[in-house]
């Protein structure tokens, strides 16, 4: 990470408690599940990495600055060119309106950042990411830190020692990031999720 967008250096973070998103007990709010099923956005993967990381680096209503500086952009662009960095993108009327990016290493996926310019766009991208990770055989989704937003999807904190054990097992696992989901895979994934929230 970097201290801010204008910082000249980057640094590593190894917190005592790590945020993860358990793939086997992912939560989907009831209204969001309807949004995903109705196909409000066109979902693409790996089609415009540079636009996604630029969107993640842009200031927003709830953040005046981000940790994505030019060095982060350079390094992750290199990982993307190597095939280790992936995006999940939400498009609407030919415009990128939200998405996320992260790094795949074996069966571990490290979620880095997300952005949204349309209601629910980043949330829909997250649901599609997890559906792909489950389908592709991933074992770990590293969320780094648990925010109130991520907690609604089931994110939790675990001790560093437990995280490192899970990480070692996941990295040693063979997994494939599917840029497209097989037919009916999304519906099967949603049926297996924990649905939270009121209403039908």
């Amino acid at each position: 990470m970097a201290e801010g967008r204008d910082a000249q250096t980057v640094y590593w973070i190894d917190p005592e408690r790590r945020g993860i998103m358990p793939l086997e007990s992912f939560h989907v709010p009831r209204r969001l599940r309807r949004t995903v099923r109705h196909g409000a956005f066109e979902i693409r993967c790996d089609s415009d990495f540079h636009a996604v990381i630029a969107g993640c680096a842009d200031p927003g209503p709830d953040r005046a600055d981000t940790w994505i500086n030019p060095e982060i952009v350079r390094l992750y662009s290199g990982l993307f060119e190597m095939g280790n960095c992936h995006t999940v993108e939400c498009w609407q009327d030919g415009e990128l309106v939200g998405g996320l990016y992260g790094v795949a290493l074996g069966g571990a996926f490290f979620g880095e950042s997300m952005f949204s310019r349309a209601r629910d766009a980043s949330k829909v991208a997250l649901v599609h990411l997890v559906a792909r990770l489950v389908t592709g055989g991933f074992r770990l989704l590293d969320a780094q830190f648990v925010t109130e937003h991520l907690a609604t999807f089931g994110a939790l904190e675990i001790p560093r020692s437990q995280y490192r054990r899970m990480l070692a097992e996941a990295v040693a696992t063979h997994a494939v990031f599917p840029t497209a989901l097989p037919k009916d895979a999304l519906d099967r994934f949603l049926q297996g999720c924990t649905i939270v929230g009121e209403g039908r």
Side-chain angles (χ1 to χ4, degrees):
M1 298 181 72
E3 290 288 354
R5 193 169 186 179
D6 296 327
Q8 300 299 309
T9 58
V10 298
Y11 60 92
W12 294 96
I13 294 180
D14 185 19
E16 291 186 10
R17 297 188 65 81
R18 192 83 170 197
I20 66 165
M21 189 78 71
L23 297 174
E24 69 282 359
S25 58
F26 187 67
H27 295 180
V28 179
R30 196 175 301 276
R31 185 186 60 79
L32 181 62
R33 182 176 66 166
R34 291 197 298 268
T35 300
V36 172
R37 282 184 162 163
H38 290 162
F41 305 103
E42 176 193 355
I43 306 300
R44 305 179 194 173
C45 292
D46 298 348
S47 77
D48 199 339
F49 170 79
H50 296 288
V52 171
I53 197 168
C56 291
D58 281 343
D62 57 346
R63 61 183 187 193
D65 194 12
T66 72
W67 55 270
I68 301 172
N69 67 352
E71 181 67 359
I72 292 286
V73 174
R74 184 186 71 82
L75 293 170
Y76 282 88
S77 296
L79 288 170
F80 179 75
E81 294 300 324
M82 294 167 60
N84 294 112
C85 193
H86 298 283
T87 64
V88 180
E89 309 156 9
C90 290
W91 293 77
Q92 200 168 55
D93 299 323
E95 179 183 356
L96 179 67
V97 295
L100 56 81
Y101 75 96
V103 174
L105 184 61
F109 192 91
F110 307 87
E112 295 297 331
S113 188
M114 61 176 63
F115 80 100
S116 185
R117 297 181 185 130
R119 181 178 180 180
D120 291 337
S122 62
K123 297 176 184 178
V124 170
L126 179 59
V127 172
H128 275 268
L129 169 67
V130 177
R132 281 160 172 77
L133 298 183
V134 170
T135 301
F138 283 79
R139 301 278 298 276
L140 173 67
L141 173 51
D142 181 345
Q144 302 177 21
F145 300 101
V146 176
T147 63
E148 183 178 348
H149 169 65
L150 292 179
T152 64
F153 293 92
L156 53 85
E157 287 185 340
I158 60 174
R160 179 189 289 153
S161 58
Q162 181 183 354
Y163 169 77
R164 288 181 175 176
R165 288 194 300 271
M166 294 177 67
L167 177 62
E169 293 173 0
V171 168
T173 300
H174 175 71
V176 177
F177 184 88
T179 55
L181 288 173
K183 186 178 180 180
D184 300 329
L186 182 61
D187 277 339
R188 291 197 303 272
F189 166 72
L190 290 172
Q191 289 170 6
C193 291
T194 301
I195 308 301
V196 294
E198 301 298 325
R200 300 182 61 180

